[in-house]
């Protein structure tokens, strides 16, 4: 009898031990989840420990998600991208719908932030497929997430009316589902809509309501950091400079605590602009100098994150090809692969030639000599026949004349140029000025200023050969851009090619002329 008891004891011991280990891992995951946005460094350590110890793909994927979120809070977009991609790859092989949903939701948000909309769309299609396999509550949550993502896309496209409609729709669902994290993201997006449609008070109310929910329970969190930063921007727009400075200083302390380069640069820039408005030149230049250092670090991390995503997708594709080679149908797949690559090469070659042709046609108007005689432009009041519902006709005509004079000058090369600054020069308000530029120029304020700057530097290159000897960074500064990278990005969006390539083509054309 005693031997039988010992036998069953030995048989049950591993099962009890496994259950204890699973309980410990679950407790660690819960602890890490609770600290992901308040103590991200602690979450990072816990997640890394679980990843090393985990035998289950589900546990490892959960830990990778928490690791990615904690790194995101610390401004490490490269690490966040790498780990969320690995987490998604692991969850693609199991049936944990809740975990799949969390990972895809965060992956879509991160890819949108990195500007990788095709990758985000791919994950969105996976989320749509997941919706068909879930219960009604999860399906409702997924539908609300997709609606909110659509709103974010509309917001980026400056379609504020549609974005607001979609955000209010998804907000109702998140309230019913009690999804506090999604509601927080919704509030940030909604405040952006209100801010961009001159409803600053409403934007501040939305943000303050979220801050009141978070601060008492979880003071010093990454979420609080984001809310304070947005409130600082709104206070600056309302010319409440002292309040804005206080908000930015609070945000900066949190950004330093989390070692988040992006938000440190954003806070320092906000402080510099406030001191510029207060005409405190000493503090303006001090903060402006610090801004550049952190902005460069944040941009470098962002570039690395984009490269990480592309490399991961490429490696993942290579692994699939390798698995095909190891299968019984190796010959069939190799033949299909060869034919597919051949077809793809043909399509790529065709696409390359067409792209080159489009590029050349696109820049032809820039590299051709500027005509000496210019036909008189139409009267400003005749540029757009439809009357504005916002701007009185006489004010609109006056603003168009001022814009015409502004375009003939060089004030747009001022790096501190903003719609608020230009409106003050024109003795009008930003709402009227924005409406006139949108209607009469067919673009928003940023696009309008950027195109003037690019056209200005192109004219310099065409008429003053010495500019070919200058570095791109000098050309950027000369035309009013704050950094080499922003100048190169805008230059390519306007002309279709990079500044270096444009200068090479212009130089060759001059030599052959």
């Amino acid at each position: 009898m005693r031997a039988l008891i010992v036998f069953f004891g030995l048989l049950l011991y591993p099962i009890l031990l496994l259950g204890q280990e699973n309980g410990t891992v679950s407790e660690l995951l819960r602890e890490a989840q609770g600290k992901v946005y308040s103590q991200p460094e602690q979450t990072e350590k816990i997640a890394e420990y679980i990843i090393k110890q985990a035998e289950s793909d589900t546990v490892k994927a959960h830990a990778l998600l928490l690791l990615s979120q904690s790194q995101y809070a610390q401004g490490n977009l490269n690490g966040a991208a790498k780990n969320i991609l690995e987490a998604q790859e692991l969850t693609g092989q199991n049936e944990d719908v809740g975990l799949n949903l969390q990972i895809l939701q965060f992956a879509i948000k991160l890819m949108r932030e990195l500007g990788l909309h095709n990758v985000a769309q791919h994950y969105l299609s996976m989320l749509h497929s997941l919706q068909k396999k879930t219960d009604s509550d999860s399906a409702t949550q997924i539908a609300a997430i997709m609606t909110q993502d659509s709103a974010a896309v509309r917001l980026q496209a400056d379609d504020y009316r549609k974005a607001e409609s979609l955000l209010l729709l998804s907000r109702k669902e998140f309230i019913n589902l009690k999804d506090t994290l999604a509601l927080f993201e919704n509030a940030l997006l909604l405040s952006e809509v209100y801010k961009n449609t001159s409803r600053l008070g409403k934007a501040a109310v939305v943000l303050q309501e979220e801050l009141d929910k978070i601060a008492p329970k979880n003071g010093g969190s990454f979420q609080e950091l984001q809310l304070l930063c947005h409130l600082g921007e709104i206070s600056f727009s309302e010319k409440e400079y002292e309040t804005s400075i206080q908000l930015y200083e609070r945000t900066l302390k949190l950004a330093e605590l989390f070692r988040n380069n992006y938000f440190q640069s954003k806070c320092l820039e906000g402080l510099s602009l406030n001191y510029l408005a207060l005409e405190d030149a000493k503090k303006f230049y001090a903060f402006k100098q610090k801004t550049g250092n952190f902005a460069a670090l944040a941009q470098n991390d962002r570039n690395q994150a984009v490269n990480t995503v592309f490399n991961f997708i490429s490696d993942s594709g290579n692994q699939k090809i390798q698995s095909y080679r190891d299968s019984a149908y190796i010959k069939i797949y190799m033949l299909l692969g060869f034919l597919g690559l051949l077809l793809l090469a043909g399509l790529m070659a065709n696409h390359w030639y067409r792209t080159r042709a489009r590029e050349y046609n696109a820049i032809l108007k820039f590299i051709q000599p500027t005509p000496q005689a210019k036909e008189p432009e139409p009267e400003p009041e005749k540029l757009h026949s439809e009357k504005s519902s916002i701007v009185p006709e006489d004010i609109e005509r006056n603003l168009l004349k001022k814009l015409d004079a502004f375009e003939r000058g060089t004030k747009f090369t001022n790096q501190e140029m903003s719609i608020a600054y230009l409106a003050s020069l024109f003795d009008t308000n930003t709402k009227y000025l924005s409406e006139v530029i949108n209607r009469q120029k067919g673009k928003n304020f940023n696009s309008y200023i950027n195109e003037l700057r690019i056209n200005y530097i192109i004219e310099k290159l065409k008429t003053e050969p010495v500019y070919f000897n200058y570095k791109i960074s000098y050309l950027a500064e000369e035309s009013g851009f704050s950094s080499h990278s922003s100048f190169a990005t805008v230059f390519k969006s306007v002309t279709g090619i990079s500044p270096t390539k444009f200068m090479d083509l212009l130089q060759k054309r001059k030599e052959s002329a």
Side-chain angles (χ1 to χ4, degrees):
M1 182 69 180
R2 187 173 183 179
L4 190 63
I5 293 172
V6 171
F7 172 75
F8 278 111
L10 292 172
L11 187 67
L12 291 172
Y13 178 74
I15 298 173
L16 293 171
L17 185 63
L18 180 62
Q20 186 177 5
E21 289 177 352
N22 287 338
T24 303
V25 170
S26 298
E27 289 171 7
L28 286 172
L29 286 171
R30 280 195 295 272
E31 182 183 353
Q33 181 76 56
K35 296 178 177 179
V36 68
Y37 291 127
S38 58
Q39 300 178 47
E41 284 190 22
Q42 188 66 21
T43 294
E44 190 172 9
K45 291 176 183 178
I46 296 171
E48 286 173 345
Y49 170 78
I50 294 172
I51 290 166
K52 290 178 182 177
Q53 304 297 323
E55 296 180 0
S56 161
D57 282 349
T58 301
V59 171
K60 188 175 181 180
H62 196 171
L64 283 166
L65 168 63
L66 294 173
L67 180 58
S68 177
Q69 291 173 328
S70 66
Q71 289 170 330
Y72 175 79
Q74 296 174 84
N76 180 3
L77 297 183
N78 185 33
K82 175 180 176 293
N83 289 303
I84 198 63
L85 290 169
E86 290 184 7
Q88 195 285 316
E89 193 167 71
L90 285 175
T91 52
Q93 302 166 12
N94 65 57
E95 297 299 323
D96 190 331
V97 173
L99 183 58
N100 279 345
L101 174 55
Q102 291 180 59
I103 290 172
L104 287 171
Q105 183 178 5
F106 187 68
I108 292 167
K109 168 185 165 61
L110 186 56
M111 294 306 117
R112 293 287 188 205
E113 190 162 321
L114 291 173
L116 302 175
H117 299 294
N118 288 337
V119 182
Q121 202 62 37
H122 170 68
Y123 289 138
L124 201 64
S125 65
M126 294 175 67
L127 194 62
H128 183 69
S129 299
L130 186 66
Q131 186 182 24
K132 300 174 183 178
K133 305 175 185 177
T134 61
D135 55 41
S136 58
D137 285 345
S138 296
T140 302
Q141 185 178 13
I142 291 171
I145 290 168
M146 291 192 293
T147 301
Q148 184 149 295
D149 178 71
S150 297
V153 173
R154 292 286 188 176
L155 178 59
Q156 287 185 338
D158 296 339
D159 187 354
Y160 303 123
R161 181 178 295 179
K162 186 64 176 178
E164 181 179 0
S165 173
L166 292 169
L167 285 169
L168 293 175
L169 183 64
S170 60
R171 189 172 186 82
K172 290 179 182 178
E173 296 297 342
F174 290 136
I175 290 172
N176 293 333
L177 294 165
K178 297 180 181 179
D179 190 336
T180 55
L181 185 59
L183 280 169
F184 171 78
E185 296 292 340
N186 183 280
L188 292 182
L189 293 169
L190 201 54
S191 72
E192 283 296 308
V193 171
Y194 292 147
K195 186 173 70 175
N196 283 287
T197 51
S198 302
R199 290 177 285 175
L200 299 177
K202 205 165 185 177
V205 168
V206 170
L207 294 169
Q208 190 61 51
E209 285 177 353
E210 286 299 314
L211 189 61
D212 292 341
K213 295 176 191 173
I214 292 169
K217 297 186 291 184
N218 198 13
S221 69
F222 178 61
Q223 293 169 321
E224 183 181 357
L225 182 156
Q226 294 176 83
L227 292 167
L228 289 172
C229 189
H230 279 74
L231 285 167
E233 291 178 10
I234 291 170
S235 294
F236 175 77
S237 298
E238 292 180 322
K239 298 183 179 181
E240 296 176 359
Y241 302 123
E242 295 298 339
T243 301
S244 180
I245 288 171
Q246 292 174 12
L247 288 165
Y248 275 127
E249 285 176 343
R250 286 174 63 189
T251 310
L252 185 58
K253 287 180 181 179
L254 290 173
E256 289 171 345
L257 178 66
F258 293 144
R259 295 181 296 180
N260 190 307
N261 291 325
Y262 171 75
F263 276 101
Q264 286 187 74
S265 70
K266 201 167 179 63
C267 292
L268 291 167
E269 183 181 13
L271 287 167
S272 70
L273 290 173
N274 273 287
Y275 285 117
L276 176 66
L278 293 172
E279 299 182 355
D280 188 335
K282 185 177 179 181
K283 288 186 177 181
F284 163 71
Y285 285 114
F287 283 112
K288 189 69 176 176
Q289 187 175 9
K290 292 180 183 178
T291 301
N293 298 330
F294 287 105
L297 290 171
Q299 185 61 45
N300 183 55
D301 177 67
R302 183 185 182 87
N303 293 339
Q304 289 180 350
V306 172
N307 289 336
T308 293
V309 175
F310 284 133
N311 291 335
F312 188 93
I313 292 170
S314 177
D315 292 342
S316 178
N318 290 337
Q319 289 173 8
K320 289 178 181 179
I321 292 173
Q322 186 62 42
S323 68
Y324 290 150
R325 288 174 181 169
D326 294 338
S327 71
Y329 300 100
I330 184 170
K331 291 183 181 179
I332 296 174
Y333 283 115
M334 285 182 68
L335 179 60
L336 291 173
F338 174 75
L339 293 173
L341 287 172
L342 192 63
L343 177 61
L344 181 61
L347 291 171
M348 287 178 67
N350 183 50
H351 175 71
W352 184 83
Y353 282 115
R354 289 190 175 190
T355 301
R356 281 302 182 90
R358 284 197 301 269
E359 281 184 353
Y360 185 77
N361 290 331
I363 67 163
L364 199 57
K365 62 180 180 180
F366 293 107
I367 63 177
Q368 286 178 337
T370 305
Q372 295 299 318
K374 191 174 181 181
E375 293 183 7
E377 294 180 358
E379 291 296 323
E381 61 270 24
K382 295 179 182 177
L383 288 175
H384 200 295
S385 59
E386 183 183 348
K387 291 185 179 179
S388 171
S389 60
I390 299 175
V391 187
E393 187 175 352
D394 58 333
I395 294 177
E396 182 172 12
R397 188 181 301 109
N398 186 38
L399 286 177
L400 284 170
K401 290 179 180 177
K402 290 182 178 181
L403 284 172
D404 185 54
F406 175 75
E407 291 166 7
R408 292 196 299 271
T410 59
K411 287 185 179 180
F412 50 77
T413 61
N414 182 351
Q415 289 188 9
E416 307 306 326
M417 179 58 63
S418 67
I419 193 165
Y421 179 69
L422 187 57
S424 68
L425 290 179
F426 286 3
D427 295 324
T428 187
N429 58 55
T430 57
K431 187 175 182 181
Y432 282 1
L433 183 56
S434 177
E435 169 72 6
V436 170
I437 291 173
N438 286 341
R439 292 179 64 256
Q440 302 291 8
K441 304 297 180 180
K443 61 199 75 170
N444 61 33
F445 176 78
N446 287 337
S447 298
Y448 172 66
I449 293 297
N450 286 338
E451 286 188 21
L452 288 176
R453 290 172 173 174
I454 296 303
N455 289 330
Y456 167 79
I457 207 65
I458 287 173
E459 193 61 26
K460 287 287 186 183
L461 288 166
K462 288 162 61 179
T463 57
E464 298 182 33
V466 69
Y467 273 73
F468 284 96
N469 300 323
Y470 297 150
K471 293 182 178 179
I472 298 297
S473 55
Y474 176 83
L475 299 181
E477 184 178 356
E478 170 77 6
S479 54
F481 291 91
S482 58
S483 69
H484 178 140
S485 59
S486 61
F487 170 73
T489 301
V490 174
F491 194 102
K492 187 169 184 179
S493 71
V494 173
T495 66
I497 58 175
S498 67
T500 305
K501 191 173 180 182
F502 182 94
M503 291 169 70
D504 288 342
L505 285 170
L506 185 57
Q507 187 79 358
K508 288 176 182 177
R509 187 174 181 85
K510 285 191 173 186
E511 289 172 358
S512 63

